[in-house]
Amino acid sequence: MTGGRQNNAVLADEVAPNTALVDRFEAVFMANYGRPPIPLVRGAGCTVWDADGAAYLDLLAGIAVCSLGHAHPALVEAVTRQVGLLAHTSNLFANKPAIELAERLVSLLGGPRARVFLSNDGATANEAAIKVVLRARAPLRHFVAAERSFHGRTLGALALTGKPSIREPFGPSALEVTFVPYGDADALEAAVTTRTAGVFLEPILGESGVVAPPAGYLRQARQVCDRAGALLVLDEVQGGIGRTGRWFAYQHEDVVPDVVTLAKGLGGGLPVGACLAIGAAGQALRPGDHGSTFGGNPVCCAAALAVLDTIERDGLLAAATAVGRRLTEGLRDGRGPADGPHRLVTAVDGRGLWLGVGLSRPVAAAVVDVARRRGFLLNAPVPDRVRLAPPLILGVEDADRFLSAWPAILAEAEQARGAGR
Ligand SMILES: *Cc1c(COP(=O)(O)O)cnc(C)c1O
């Protein structure tokens, strides 16, 4: 009977709200994401709670998105004020938060004058960048990108993504793309010719588990592009806006790109992205070439301005550097300084609050699972790497709380794996 089923559903909701919600998720959404482990219902600072009421220290920030943590007063105030004033204008009219945000982003770049396109997310920031390159270098359509890179799921950004398993089912693309091993400047030099329109690179590979290139790689990429006349596009969607302790991850090297794309951390949880084109590249798009209904939405732009203001006012770039160092050292010493590093941990890579822990065996999923059951959110972008991308407001006490649990998490994950075989 229908009534009986409803009663059972209500009962399940009360007894096991987590399971009930995840079951409903699975029943209604397409299969692309798989079954999430838990639903989250609220957050404050660096803590989030699930529907059963369990608390977690959020060391992932919605994949490098919630730069100010959760329910930060500056973000709540800015969004609330703007939504009560004017929620949307379309791009047929100008709005002040969008203008201010574009001005701020241009000034953060420093150096040569840039022009801005505001998008909704990372993929659409990269789509804009692709069009900028195609216009600037017409009629060339050849791109060079890196193996293991990630630039988004829309068809243009996906064509430049160096993960065949997610790209190939949806090809072939209208773009001609050559993939080169990430971090190998000689391979890049060999692939880029005078026929190349643009080179797309992440300053650090995010979705492959926070893998940094050898020092000097971006500078060499700049030289290769200059020799061939190709545009250098740096995808800062994950690494930009303070994640590495600088506004942009490429600023750790002395290099000026032609195009920079941003998104994840920019809106602090609201969807906003940006494509910044420097110098001549900023003049490439012509009237009517591109657009977005929601891009430059005043509420999202107000959120981004609150994020930038707070990072500046609270010194979060320096904080990300300092707390990131502490985490890096602690993660390496899986058993504490006295016992030396845990045998599972091969390396800790990345910068600031963007860290990838390399594991000697493909047990990253087990590590993430154990960590979650002990109250810490991390993720495993690839089988042998664990990613941390906590809010930029992460404090030393919270970092230390995780570090004291880290050796036990590794040990338990190793045991769970051993028992499972
Ligand atoms: C996440 C990501 C994207 C895609 O961003 P979406 O907002 O998911 O479209 C693009 N590039 C990089 C480097 C990313 O990490």
Side-chain angles (χ1 to χ4, degrees), residues 241-263:
I241 311 299
R243 175 95 350 238
T244 67
R246 300 271 177 98
W247 285 110
F248 304 99
Y250 75 79
Q251 288 174 333
H252 294 279
E253 282 194 27
D254 183 22
V255 44
V256 180
D258 297 295
V259 182
V260 177
T261 55
L262 297 170

Side-chain angles (χ1 to χ4, degrees), residues 63 120-124 126 150-153 202 204 206-207 235-239 263-264 387:
I63 314 185
N120 307 302
D121 54 26
T124 55
N126 283 329
F150 184 80
H151 298 294
R153 302 291 196 150
E202 292 166 81
I204 289 179
E207 290 309 300
D235 180 342
E236 293 260 353
V237 166
Q238 194 162 151
K264 288 191 169 82
R387 169 171 51 188

